[in-house]
Amino acid sequence: AAAAGLAAAARIAGWLGRLSHRQADAIAVVDPGRCRACHTCLSVCEIGAPVLVDESSRRFVRIDPFICTGCGSCASRCPSDAISIGGSTDRQLTAMIDAVLAP
């Protein structure tokens, strides 16, 4: 029992360490105006970071920044492109890639 407790404590300490070293700009952000509340991100995220919100008779998803690891699975699967990782939108990322690859 003591070994199981120590193992659990070690896992939690590791998880908390990842949170404290995580960059704030590496989390997913939802544009509520584009979100259709289709539940795709809810089904894709394995850790439960997306949360469905009802505000002013609108439904959309909000990403919990304390849970999000910035893996990008929700952003890559969002059919309305309402989710971006950090502050960069898909258009900004495409422009940066084009600039790097330009002759």
Side-chain angles (χ1 to χ4, degrees), residues 7-35:
R11 281 192 302 251
I12 291 170
W15 181 73
L16 290 173
R18 280 193 331 208
L19 287 179
S20 66
H21 291 93
R22 185 175 58 176
Q23 294 179 339
D25 60 351
I27 61 169
V29 178
V30 178
D31 177 353
R34 296 184 75 174
C35 179

Side-chain angles (χ1 to χ4, degrees), residues 35-45 50 52-53 59-61 77 79:
C35 179
R36 298 182 292 181
C38 67
H39 297 221
T40 300
C41 58
L42 295 170
S43 64
V44 169
C45 181
L52 193 59
V53 176
R59 294 180 73 167
F60 58 93
V61 169
R77 297 284 304 273

Side-chain angles (χ1 to χ4, degrees), residues 45-68:
C45 181
E46 295 178 359
I47 60 173
V51 179
L52 193 59
V53 176
D54 262 322
E55 269 185 19
S56 305
S57 70
R58 278 204 80 245
R59 294 180 73 167
F60 58 93
V61 169
R62 183 171 288 140
I63 306 293
D64 187 330
F66 295 106
I67 297 175
C68 180

Side-chain angles (χ1 to χ4, degrees), residues 6 9 13 46 65 73 88:
L6 289 174
E46 295 178 359
S73 61
S88 300

